[in-house]
Amino acid sequence: MNQPAHTLDQLVVLDTIARLGTFTDAAGTLNRATSAVSYAIRRLEESLGVRVLERSQRGASLTPEGIRRAGFC
């Protein structure tokens, strides 16, 4: 059986960041370290081959490609 390109856990992390707007808030909600949240997103982006989040000092938001590729549309 082939491994999926991304895991359900990575999609949960992405959804949480998309709803809350920051990696820090998502980490708190998921009861994880911010570095673990960042790692999950990095792995997701590597598996998809695209950036799914636009990061800024004010937070993070889904990219158009992130919306399409992650199945949020």
Side-chain angles (χ1 to χ4, degrees):
M1 179 183 268
N2 290 338
Q3 289 288 342
H6 46 273
T7 67
L8 179 58
D9 180 69
Q10 291 167 340
L11 294 177
V12 168
V13 171
L14 179 61
D15 176 68
T16 305
I17 295 168
R19 284 186 298 105
L20 299 177
T22 70
F23 281 64
T24 302
D25 289 345
T29 296
L30 296 169
N31 198 30
R32 299 183 189 186
T34 304
S35 60
V37 168
S38 181
Y39 180 74
I41 295 301
R42 187 173 346 113
R43 295 285 313 268
L44 176 62
E45 290 178 332
E46 289 171 359
S47 72
L48 294 173
V50 296
R51 294 209 46 131
V52 295
L53 289 170
E54 185 66 40
R55 296 139 172 98
S56 73
Q57 289 187 350
R58 293 183 296 169
S61 59
L62 288 169
T63 64
E65 193 66 19
I67 293 168
R68 187 175 75 76
R69 294 278 184 121
F72 285 99
C73 57

